[in-house]
Every structure is written in C-alpha cells, then in structure tokens.
Amino acid sequence: MSENAFILVLFLALPMAQPSSVSLSRLQCEKNPKYFRTLNVTFANNTITADIYLEQGLKTGFRGHIDVQLRLTNAKKFQSLVQTDTDYCELLSSLKESLFRRWIKSLAKNSNFMENCPIPPGPYYLKGYHVDMGLVPSYLLNGDYRLRALVYYGKYHTKSRIFLIECTVEASMQKN
C-alpha cells in the first residue's frame, strides 16, 4: 500500500462525531461540455441541489483527485490536509463499508447518481442534500475548509489528462 493510500485509509478510519455547525460559503463547478451538457450545482441554507445532464457516458478508468484544505481562524491561506488520487470505478467496486461508501450512500438518498461503473449518459440530479454531520471526522479543527475535487481521464499533472469536471466547496466548521 502506498504512503498516500495508507494516510487516506487512516484519515477515513478515525472516529466520527458531529460538529456543532458546518456552514457552506462557496460552491463552484466547471465542466467539460463534451461530456456534460448541463451542470448546475447550487446551495442555499446549507442545502445542495444539482441538475446534471451527462452527454457522453463515463467508462471505467475515470479518476478523481481530491484535496481537503484547512484555513485556521485568522489565517490568510488554506493548507492542504490530505490529497488523494484514485480510480473511482475501482474504488466503488472494491469498498465494503468505509467513509467513502457512507458518503456515497448519503448522496444516493437524495439523488439518482450511479453507484457503479460505467456511468451511462442521461439526466442526473441531487435534490435537497444536507451534509450528514455524522460523516464529519471528529478530529477536524474549527476553521474554514476547502474541498477541491477534479474528475478526469489519464494521469494527474500531465498534458494528456482529459478534464471532465472540477468542483470547489468551501465551508466553515465550529465545534463547542
């Protein structure tokens, strides 16, 4: 197991606890129009809604790069806490019960997102999704968080990479 995979497994295996509050402050997504006809993702009152039309199906082998960043209270810059780069189809097919699987199940309650690969073209939605506070790790500190998720084909940091979608979410967390 690579060092990054070990850190991610450790990060995801630690106990969960509910923070006092998590408030979304920014949600922005960009799409590759060759793959996505529509990608409207919005939030209001900490509720996320998405309207997506996948123009071209996603075959096995698309990857995701996730970077979780923290900005402590009164700090100016975000610092990376953990980054991971993985084959999503492989991840979905190989997981039993993990934090990723629980996140996917949490999203599935309010969506028609596929939980396996390949992902056929067509309409997808996410309606009235609230972040499940039970899935927020208890060891996270108070502060501002940024999650950047890039979905692509190919290898990260190469010119041959085919961009599919990138989303950035920012939120503040306060614990008593």
Side-chain angles (χ1 to χ4, degrees):
M1 180 183 294
S2 74
E3 182 177 325
N4 284 344
F6 176 74
I7 291 170
L8 180 62
V9 168
L10 180 62
F11 181 76
L12 298 176
L14 292 171
M16 304 292 117
Q18 294 189 3
S20 298
S21 68
V22 173
S23 298
L24 297 173
S25 57
R26 179 175 170 237
L27 175 59
Q28 178 182 350
C29 294
E30 296 178 31
K31 65 179 170 61
N32 180 336
K34 181 178 174 184
Y35 289 88
F36 294 88
R37 181 186 309 163
T38 306
L39 177 65
N40 297 319
V41 184
T42 59
F43 77 95
N45 300 320
N46 289 322
T47 301
I48 302 172
T49 301
D51 178 28
I52 303 165
Y53 192 91
L54 186 60
E55 190 71 34
Q56 198 176 128
L58 300 180
K59 59 186 186 242
T60 301
F62 69 93
R63 301 185 62 82
H65 182 86
I66 297 174
D67 183 11
V68 179
Q69 302 172 353
L70 167 66
R71 180 175 59 205
L72 296 172
T73 305
N74 298 324
K76 292 182 180 180
K77 294 185 179 184
F78 283 92
Q79 298 175 349
S80 185
L81 289 177
V82 65
Q83 291 187 40
T84 184
D85 191 89
T86 190
D87 179 312
Y88 273 136
C89 295
E90 190 175 292
L91 179 72
L92 289 172
S93 67
S94 66
L95 289 179
K96 293 191 177 168
E97 190 59 34
S98 69
L99 182 56
F100 275 139
R101 176 61 71 197
R102 291 191 300 264
W103 281 341
I104 291 165
K105 285 182 179 177
S106 176
L107 283 169
K109 291 176 188 173
N110 295 65
S111 75
N112 66 339
F113 293 169
M114 300 295 295
E115 293 184 54
N116 52 24
C117 293
I119 299 175
Y124 293 91
Y125 65 84
L126 176 65
K127 304 280 186 208
Y129 177 75
H130 295 272
V131 175
D132 183 343
M133 296 300 127
L135 299 178
V136 177
S138 62
Y139 53 83
L140 292 179
L141 303 170
N142 286 346
D144 297 327
Y145 286 84
R146 176 186 291 156
L147 176 111
R148 298 179 109 166
L150 169 67
V151 180
Y152 63 96
Y153 284 115
K155 292 185 178 183
Y156 189 66
H157 281 314
T158 65
K159 289 182 180 182
S160 63
R161 180 186 80 192
I162 299 171
F163 162 80
L164 298 173
I165 186 172
E166 182 171 20
C167 290
T168 300
V169 179
E170 292 182 2
S172 295
M173 185 173 74
Q174 297 298 316
K175 295 193 280 187
N176 292 335

